[in-house]
Amino acid sequence: GKWIYDDPNESATQDSPLNEGQLLVMRKMDMWNTMRVCAIATDDDLDISGSMWIPVKLESFETTDGEEYTKYEASRVIATWLNSTYGMIPYIGYRAETRGAYGEWKTKQVRRISALDPSELTSDQVDTLLDAYEEVRDREWSHLRKQLDDVQDKDDHARRKLDRKVAKALFLDDEDLVPENDDDEPLDVDDVIALDDLYEDFDNTLTLLGELME
């Protein structure tokens, strides 16, 4: 939001209306050099006008089993989904290429992205996603491509921790983690979902996109 209008003394925020939201989703990003996450959840009603993020206004919601949550919790749940590898892949697929590795997400494209609807979840699912948010919110996220390189070698990487929680909340039932033999330890998410294959495929896809956009 640093561009200048006709009067060099007026900035974009002075000259155009601000939009309010509890969730910021990415509008423009260099996927190689600056992109780290797709969304940022806020604890306040932010007024923003700029070229890098789109503010999304949310409402409080009720889960399928009748538990109520605030709009700020809604923003955390959706940010958790969009920042997981499962949410990032379709998000990046909707980008409009501009120059090099720089991608832009038009508002109409962002509207088409399959985001998570918290009101379609149970309270247990929502609580698991909120736990995932709290677990990684203070982590320092490196550039996306470095994340995908590092996560394949680190069992405690923030991306793996996030994806495990998201997978457990949304894609797995308790019976999926029951071992074949009663004497064995319960299965982990990694035993059921091949996360490393997912990271390798995503990393290779970004590499090919980078070559195409050069």
Side-chain angles (χ1 to χ4, degrees), residues 61-92:
F61 69 96
E62 183 177 305
T63 58
T64 57
D65 52 345
E67 293 295 323
E68 295 183 355
Y69 292 85
T70 68
K71 58 186 177 182
Y72 306 111
E73 288 170 319
S75 73
R76 294 171 190 167
V77 169
I78 297 173
T80 297
W81 164 254
L82 287 175
N83 290 331
S84 74
T85 305
Y86 304 107
M88 272 191 160
I89 289 173
Y91 197 105
I92 288 176

Side-chain angles (χ1 to χ4, degrees), residues 26-55:
M26 189 167 51
R27 185 193 293 273
K28 294 180 181 178
M29 200 68 64
D30 185 325
M31 289 190 289
W32 304 161
N33 298 316
T34 59
M35 181 175 172
R36 301 170 188 265
V37 295
C38 281
I40 299 173
T42 75
D43 296 323
D44 300 297
D45 299 334
L46 289 184
D47 289 327
I48 185 172
S49 176
S51 63
M52 303 305 293
W53 300 92
I54 301 172

Side-chain angles (χ1 to χ4, degrees), residues 13-209:
T13 55
Q14 292 172 316
D15 199 49
S16 61
L18 296 168
N19 295 307
E20 180 185 277
Q22 297 80 41
L23 177 72
L24 303 181
V25 295
M26 189 167 51
R27 185 193 293 273
K28 294 180 181 178
M29 200 68 64
D30 185 325
M31 289 190 289
W32 304 161
N33 298 316
T34 59
M35 181 175 172
R36 301 170 188 265
V37 295
C38 281
I40 299 173
T42 75
D43 296 323
D44 300 297
D45 299 334
L46 289 184
D47 289 327
I48 185 172
S49 176
S51 63
M52 303 305 293
W53 300 92
I54 301 172
V56 180
K57 191 172 183 179
L58 300 171
E59 302 290 342
S60 58
F61 69 96
E62 183 177 305
T63 58
T64 57
D65 52 345
E67 293 295 323
E68 295 183 355
Y69 292 85
T70 68
K71 58 186 177 182
Y72 306 111
E73 288 170 319
S75 73
R76 294 171 190 167
V77 169
I78 297 173
T80 297
W81 164 254
L82 287 175
N83 290 331
S84 74
T85 305
Y86 304 107
M88 272 191 160
I89 289 173
Y91 197 105
I92 288 176
Y94 273 100
R95 81 204 176 285
E97 291 157 13
T98 52
R99 55 173 177 79
Y102 203 81
E104 183 172 357
W105 286 261
K106 306 293 186 182
T107 303
K108 64 180 181 180
Q109 292 169 308
V110 173
R111 291 181 189 276
R112 291 200 300 264
I113 294 169
S114 297
L116 193 66
D117 183 354
S119 67
E120 295 294 323
L121 304 177
T122 66
S123 57
D124 284 343
Q125 289 176 305
V126 169
D127 289 342
T128 299
L129 294 174
L130 291 175
D131 286 343
Y133 174 83
E134 293 298 330
E135 188 170 355
V136 302
R137 67 179 300 182
D138 294 328
R139 296 290 187 100
E140 183 175 344
W141 294 92
S142 57
H143 298 151
L144 178 57
R145 292 201 63 199
K146 188 174 187 330
Q147 289 180 44
L148 293 172
D149 286 337
D150 293 344
V151 71
Q152 297 180 63
D153 300 320
K154 296 180 181 179
D155 189 61
D156 63 343
H157 193 281
R159 175 150 301 283
R160 189 182 296 272
K161 286 180 175 290
L162 179 63
D163 290 337
R164 282 172 176 160
K165 282 283 184 74
V166 171
K168 190 171 184 179
L170 302 178
F171 306 134
L172 298 176
D173 296 322
D174 290 339
E175 53 265 29
D176 293 323
L177 301 177
V178 175
E180 292 184 6
N181 300 315
D182 294 338
D183 296 333
D184 293 337
E185 293 290 329
L187 299 176
D188 196 1
V189 171
D190 297 73
D191 299 322
V192 183
I193 296 179
L195 288 175
D196 284 319
D197 290 344
L198 178 66
Y199 300 139
E200 183 178 0
D201 288 345
F202 193 17
D203 196 12
N204 290 339
T205 299
L206 290 182
T207 301
L208 290 173
L209 286 175

